[in-house]
């Protein structure tokens, strides 16, 4: 092969790029720490200033790295868009991620402050470390540092980094149809998820959808003495528990009529593939400090987590929460809850079925109000596209281990809409780990995985650039 012949599709990353990423590791880590110091909590009205700073930070990083950037206002928080030059005939890739984070509470459980990134035992601890600043920054780093070598990228890369993923992506959802031309691409690359296990990278071909809601059961106009009035009025906390109990049976099956309508069952072949992955329920139970795992009867825990619908109470409030006892009948009780949905389930239809169920099962003596929350359908992508082939090779090149194909149970509300509006398949490449503590105290991201993710990202651009045109 002489130096002018086209690269074979199996060529690894050119050494100068590899060396640049290696040389810049400390600086890249330092930059992640800068971004993590900004407490961009999208659900907290007090954090609007931080939301703007986090968007400014990433926009500036992209612009100073040589990309053309654009700030796109929405009905919610701004989108940050950036692009590298078009490469005629080569695929166009859209990298999506989010700069918003979940609230860090309870603060007293953090060993170091949620917005004071700290390294312990090879992990970087901070809110947003894995979800999603650390992960999306791997792609920004790979692009910016590639460009810093003076070599052109072999594919065009567009970035779309939003600030409302953790609150349902309303702004992006509304704006997406108008942005379809700007965002036109052949595939969407997302790293906002996990590897299968430590040392076992994965490509995720399916995510569950979500339907969240908040309900409130009202009783007497104010808290009452439970001695004077117990026996005369319905206790709203008990009514709420009865309602919750009516929605799920002891085997973990959801009892809402019509809930499973449309739900596409997994093929025996897919169940076989999922159940063929190494997994240990007893070990997971031990890690999570629960006496035993629990879930819908008849399915393995991986199938239940990734591909079966579930119901969870996320928060429950009623009555006296302070120290000591207080003998009252609370005036109200409320619950935040969510359903994870699987392919074929329509969030709007599920919402209607749940609302019907709640009204039908409401005990006498209290009133009910329902506040609808986020809704997004599940996502399934191809497992055999050329993009998957390129990603497999890139991951093996960076991690030294071939990835396994998995689904995951979390939701990225906009992904199904990307498929529908942009006609592009999604490539979900998680660099995180299941025990990273996303949404929990002491969220972390492995420093090595940050660097390996960056390397895999660069290797992906290189492999995608070699796909036959
Ligand atoms: N990074 C997660 C999504 C995720 C979690 C994917 C676990 C794969 C495995 C994302 O940031 C997230 O938490 N999404 C929310 C969306 C919701 C608030 C609408 C979720 O899944 O709860
Ligand atoms: Zn999240």
């Amino acid at each position: 092969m002489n130096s002018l012949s086209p690269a074979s599709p199996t060529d690894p990353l050119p050494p100068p790029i590899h060396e640049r990423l290696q040389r810049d590791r400390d600086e890249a880590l330092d930059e992640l720490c800068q971004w993590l110091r900004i407490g961009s909590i999208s659900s907290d009205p007090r954090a609007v200033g931080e939301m703007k700073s986090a968007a400014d930070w990433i926009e500036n990083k992209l612009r100073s790295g040589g990309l053309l950037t654009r700030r796109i206002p929405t009905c919610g928080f701004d989108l940050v868009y950036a692009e590298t030059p078009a490469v005629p005939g080569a695929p166009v890739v859209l990298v999506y991620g989010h700069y918003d984070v979940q609230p860090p509470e309870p603060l007293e459980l953090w060993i170091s402050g949620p917005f004071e990134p700290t390294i312990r035992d090879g992990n970087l601890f901070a809110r947003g470390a894995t979800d999603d600043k650390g992960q999306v920054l791997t792609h920004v780093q790979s692009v910016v540092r590639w460009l810093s070598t003076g070599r052109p990228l072999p594919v065009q890369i567009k970035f779309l980094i939003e600030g409302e993923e953790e609150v349902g992506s309303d702004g992006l959802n509304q704006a997406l149809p108008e942005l379809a031309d700007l965002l036109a691409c052949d595939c969407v690359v997302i790293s906002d998820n996990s590897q299968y296990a430590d040392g076992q990278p994965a490509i995720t071909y399916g995510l569950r959808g979500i339907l969240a809601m908040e309900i409130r059961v009202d009783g007497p106009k104010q808290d009452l003495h439970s001695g004077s009035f117990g026996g005369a009025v319905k206790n709203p906390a008990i009514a709420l528990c009865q309602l919750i109990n009516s929605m799920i049976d002891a085997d973990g099956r959801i009892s809402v009529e019509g809930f499973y309508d449309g739900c596409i069952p997994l093929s025996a072949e897919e169940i076989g593939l999922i159940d063929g992955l190494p997994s240990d329920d007893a070990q997971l139970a031990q890690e999570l400090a629960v006496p035993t795992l629990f879930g819908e009867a008849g399915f393995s825990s991986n199938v239940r987590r990734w591909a079966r619908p579930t119901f969870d109470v996320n928060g429950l409030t009623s009555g006296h929460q302070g120290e000591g006892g207080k003998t009252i009948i609370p005036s109200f009780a409320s619950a935040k809850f969510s359903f994870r949905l699987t392919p074929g389930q329509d969030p709007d239809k599920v919402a209607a079925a749940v609302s019907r169920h709640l009204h039908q099962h409401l005990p006498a003596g209290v009133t009910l109000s329902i506040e609808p929350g986020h809704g997004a359908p599940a996502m399934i992508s191809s497992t055999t596209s050329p993009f998957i082939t390129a990603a497999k090779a890139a991951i093996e090149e960076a991690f030294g281990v071939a990835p396994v194909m998995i689904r995951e149970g979390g939701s990225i509300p906009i992904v199904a809409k990307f498929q529908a509006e942009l006609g592009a398949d999604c490539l979900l490449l998680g660099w995180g780990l299941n025990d990273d503590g996303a949404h929990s105290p002491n969220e972390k991201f492995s420093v090595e995985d940050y660097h390996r993710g960056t390397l895999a990202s660069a290797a992906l651009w290189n492999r995608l650039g070699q796909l036959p045109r």
Side-chain angles (χ1 to χ4, degrees), residues 1-193:
M1 188 167 99
N2 68 47
S3 60
L4 290 175
S5 68
S8 84
T10 52
D11 277 353
L13 206 52
I17 307 291
H18 198 283
E19 283 151 22
R20 178 56 54 97
L21 296 180
Q22 203 60 27
R23 188 200 76 178
D24 291 356
R25 281 163 65 112
D26 290 350
E27 194 179 77
L29 186 60
D30 185 64
E31 286 174 357
L32 172 55
C33 292
Q34 290 173 23
W35 202 20
L36 289 170
R37 282 190 195 100
I38 306 171
S40 44
I41 309 163
S42 48
S43 63
D44 186 346
R46 293 165 304 181
V48 286
E50 281 85 353
M51 289 300 296
K52 184 179 176 301
S53 305
D56 288 346
W57 190 91
I58 193 65
E59 184 183 5
N60 183 47
K61 169 77 190 151
L62 288 157
R63 194 185 327 103
S64 61
L67 286 86
L68 284 177
T69 70
R70 213 172 117 177
R71 196 67 163 250
I72 305 173
T74 71
C75 61
F77 292 113
D78 287 2
L79 305 169
V80 174
Y81 173 82
E83 62 181 31
T84 61
V87 183
V92 179
V93 182
L94 175 67
V95 175
Y96 163 82
H98 60 100
Y99 64 81
D100 64 325
V101 301
Q102 288 269 337
E105 285 78 14
L107 292 176
E108 65 280 10
L109 295 185
W110 285 79
I111 293 167
S112 44
F115 302 113
E116 292 157 25
T118 306
I119 295 174
R120 289 190 297 275
D121 294 335
N123 291 307
L124 179 58
F125 288 84
R127 171 58 87 232
T130 190
D131 185 8
D132 177 42
K133 287 172 178 167
Q135 294 205 58
V136 68
L137 197 58
T138 62
H139 298 297
V140 175
Q141 295 291 6
S142 74
V143 166
V144 165
R145 294 185 192 273
W146 184 308
L147 293 176
S148 78
T149 64
R151 290 177 167 238
L153 279 154
V155 290
Q156 183 180 30
I157 298 168
K158 300 177 173 181
F159 283 96
L160 182 70
I161 304 180
E162 70 146 313
E164 293 183 293
E165 195 274 347
E166 299 289 8
V167 290
S169 300
D170 282 350
L172 175 54
N173 235 304
Q174 277 187 31
L176 193 58
E178 282 166 34
L179 298 174
D181 285 341
L182 181 71
L183 302 179
C185 60
D186 297 293
C187 101
V188 185
V189 169
I190 302 175
S191 294
D192 186 19
N193 51 302

Side-chain angles (χ1 to χ4, degrees), residues 13 24 113 118 143-144 170 239 269 277 305 313 372 380 397 412 448 451 458 460:
L13 206 52
D24 291 356
T118 306
V143 166
V144 165
D170 282 350
E269 187 197 352
L277 293 166
R305 291 190 305 135
V313 175
I380 283 285
E397 185 179 338
I412 302 178
E448 264 321 300
H451 296 310
L460 178 65

Side-chain angles (χ1 to χ4, degrees), residues 250-267:
D251 284 332
R253 204 174 154 82
I254 292 149
S255 342
V256 174
E257 200 184 318
F259 176 81
Y260 290 99
D261 286 1
C263 185
I264 301 165
L266 264 77
S267 68

